[in-house]
Amino acid sequence: MGGKRKKGESEGMEGDNDSKNNNKKMKQKSEILPSSVKNKEKRSAVHAKLKHQKKVEKRKKLKARDAAEKRALELGEEPAPKQIPRTIENTREADETVCMPDDEELFAGNDADEFSSILKRDRTPKILITTCRFNSTRGPSFISELLSVIPNAHYNKRGTYDLKKIVEYANNKEFTSIIVVHTNRREPDALLIIGLPDGPTAHFKLSSLVLRKDIKNHGNPTSHMPELVLNNFTTRLGHRIGRLIQSLFPQDPNFRGRRVVTFHNQRDFIFFRHHRYVFETKESKQSDSKGKKAKDAKGESIAKEKVVARLQECGPRFTLKLVSLQHGTFDTKGGEYEWVHKPEMDTSRRRFFL
């Protein structure tokens, strides 16, 4: 008897397992992946169906969350905290070199570095812009736009002169910085910024160049001193690069000119933008407390003038990526480097240096 009961129990267990396997097979049949369908039309239909299902589920979740928040507010309770999405910026690796506002050593170093005389307004920035030996077709137009962006900038032809000779010439003429525009295959691909007289020298890779004529509805810049905006230069290296960029521009912006130059650092890419503020007056019709349009004695609707501010891009537009930072002026053989970018540094997508 006992043996028969065991046999019946085992048969029941096998039946349960068979039903579970059948359910799994049914689910697998119902959830057909588009990649497993060979016919193109059927595959696109399956893909559209899956996309629609995901959209419906997402909408249901949003409705349930909104309903829970509304219920909590009605009951006088605190709603559930909003979920913060994971991004590369908020999950970046902790960096010891991030500058703190109470770092006395950093501020003491600022008073003694190469840019202190310009940033304290003891010297006026005077920039020499030149090219590499083999210039390109887009190089001159890019340089002419750089001359309109940076005040007190002068262009000199490179010719066959060595860069060390140009540094000597610029020191004698009391220039504060040199910008060398390097070109490759008729396209500007690098910038070399040399601080004078004692350096440092920063080498940047240049990409995504868009000239003023290629920007839709672009504005024309004036000769006023621009306002400079530097974003996210938070580490020691970023702070140094930020001060190098800052030393290219005068420290007394003319706000009446409504010009603003932005260097925005994001994931070690420095995005350059050049804008001007535009103030426009727009008429907005007044309405009373009941939502009806207010009218004067003659029955005409009263219009109220409203000033709206917007940004108009002047160009150029480009992206910089730091390749190396060198002590002193340009020296390829005996130069000592503060920082050099190496391929093994790019192992983690959440590690940034600027």
Side-chain angles (χ1 to χ4, degrees), residues 81-134:
K82 288 186 177 180
Q83 292 181 348
I84 300 166
R86 284 171 60 87
T87 61
I88 291 176
E89 274 78 14
N90 64 20
T91 56
R92 65 178 289 179
E93 292 178 9
D95 197 340
E96 295 175 359
T97 63
V98 171
C99 302
M100 296 298 173
D102 56 346
D103 194 344
E104 294 178 3
E105 186 185 341
L106 179 71
F107 292 116
N110 288 347
D111 295 332
D113 69 358
E114 303 94 330
F115 321 112
S116 59
S117 60
I118 297 170
L119 300 185
K120 288 177 181 177
R121 304 185 189 180
D122 296 334
R123 292 170 71 198
T124 310
K126 188 181 176 185
I127 315 301
L128 173 67
I129 299 177
T130 187
T131 60
C132 60
R133 284 180 178 172
F134 304 103

Side-chain angles (χ1 to χ4, degrees), residues 223-241:
S223 58
H224 295 85
M225 299 294 179
E227 179 187 354
L228 183 65
V229 178
L230 298 170
N231 286 335
N232 295 339
F233 292 89
T234 52
T235 63
R236 286 290 182 102
L237 177 65
H239 182 74
R240 190 151 169 76
I241 293 297

Side-chain angles (χ1 to χ4, degrees), residues 77-353:
E77 299 174 357
E78 286 188 9
K82 288 186 177 180
Q83 292 181 348
I84 300 166
R86 284 171 60 87
T87 61
I88 291 176
E89 274 78 14
N90 64 20
T91 56
R92 65 178 289 179
E93 292 178 9
D95 197 340
E96 295 175 359
T97 63
V98 171
C99 302
M100 296 298 173
D102 56 346
D103 194 344
E104 294 178 3
E105 186 185 341
L106 179 71
F107 292 116
N110 288 347
D111 295 332
D113 69 358
E114 303 94 330
F115 321 112
S116 59
S117 60
I118 297 170
L119 300 185
K120 288 177 181 177
R121 304 185 189 180
D122 296 334
R123 292 170 71 198
T124 310
K126 188 181 176 185
I127 315 301
L128 173 67
I129 299 177
T130 187
T131 60
C132 60
R133 284 180 178 172
F134 304 103
N135 201 4
S136 69
T137 50
R138 287 186 87 195
S141 51
F142 175 53
I143 288 166
S144 66
E145 292 189 14
L146 275 183
L147 290 168
S148 68
V149 170
I150 304 170
N152 202 17
H154 307 270
Y155 170 66
N156 281 17
K157 284 185 179 180
R158 173 72 178 267
T160 56
Y161 290 104
D162 193 43
L163 200 54
K164 288 183 180 179
K165 295 284 183 185
I166 293 170
V167 170
E168 286 177 18
Y169 166 80
N171 274 324
N172 294 334
K173 294 288 181 179
E174 296 183 347
F175 283 97
T176 58
S177 295
I178 300 173
I179 298 176
V180 182
V181 179
H182 185 271
T183 54
N184 184 25
R185 294 179 182 177
R186 299 184 179 180
E187 189 72 22
D189 70 332
L191 277 186
L192 194 71
I193 302 175
I194 305 170
L196 297 176
D198 303 318
T201 302
H203 178 211
F204 294 95
K205 180 187 173 186
L206 189 145
S207 60
S208 307
L209 174 62
V210 182
L211 297 175
R212 186 180 301 141
K213 63 184 177 66
D214 300 322
I215 296 171
K216 193 178 178 182
N217 300 326
H218 66 82
N220 294 315
T222 59
S223 58
H224 295 85
M225 299 294 179
E227 179 187 354
L228 183 65
V229 178
L230 298 170
N231 286 335
N232 295 339
F233 292 89
T234 52
T235 63
R236 286 290 182 102
L237 177 65
H239 182 74
R240 190 151 169 76
I241 293 297
R243 284 177 70 84
L244 173 66
I245 293 168
Q246 201 176 350
S247 67
L248 300 174
F249 294 86
Q251 303 306 303
D252 51 346
N254 191 340
F255 295 105
R256 284 188 176 276
R258 297 176 283 129
R259 283 181 66 200
V260 58
V261 171
T262 307
F263 289 87
H264 175 77
N265 174 42
Q266 189 169 359
R267 302 175 195 172
D268 287 347
F269 288 94
I270 303 169
F271 299 93
F272 173 87
R273 296 294 182 271
H274 180 205
H275 294 95
R276 65 189 290 266
Y277 298 110
V278 177
F279 297 100
E280 295 174 340
T281 53
K282 288 188 177 181
E283 289 186 355
S284 60
K285 292 177 180 179
Q286 285 185 334
S287 58
D288 56 10
S289 58
K290 293 179 181 178
K292 294 179 181 179
K293 290 176 184 177
K295 294 182 179 180
D296 58 4
K298 293 179 182 179
E300 295 178 358
S301 57
I302 302 166
K304 186 183 178 182
E305 285 191 350
K306 186 181 178 184
V307 179
V308 179
R310 66 179 179 88
L311 287 173
Q312 185 183 32
E313 193 168 356
C314 298
R317 183 195 301 170
F318 56 86
T319 307
L320 298 173
K321 180 86 188 288
L322 183 66
V323 177
S324 66
L325 184 68
Q326 186 181 355
H327 273 298
T329 54
F330 181 75
D331 188 4
T332 51
K333 291 181 180 178
E336 186 181 338
Y337 286 89
E338 293 182 40
W339 186 87
V340 181
H341 180 264
K342 294 176 183 176
E344 55 264 26
M345 292 178 176
D346 296 333
T347 51
S348 173
R349 288 184 66 215
R350 290 183 173 82
R351 190 182 176 199
F352 308 119
F353 300 97

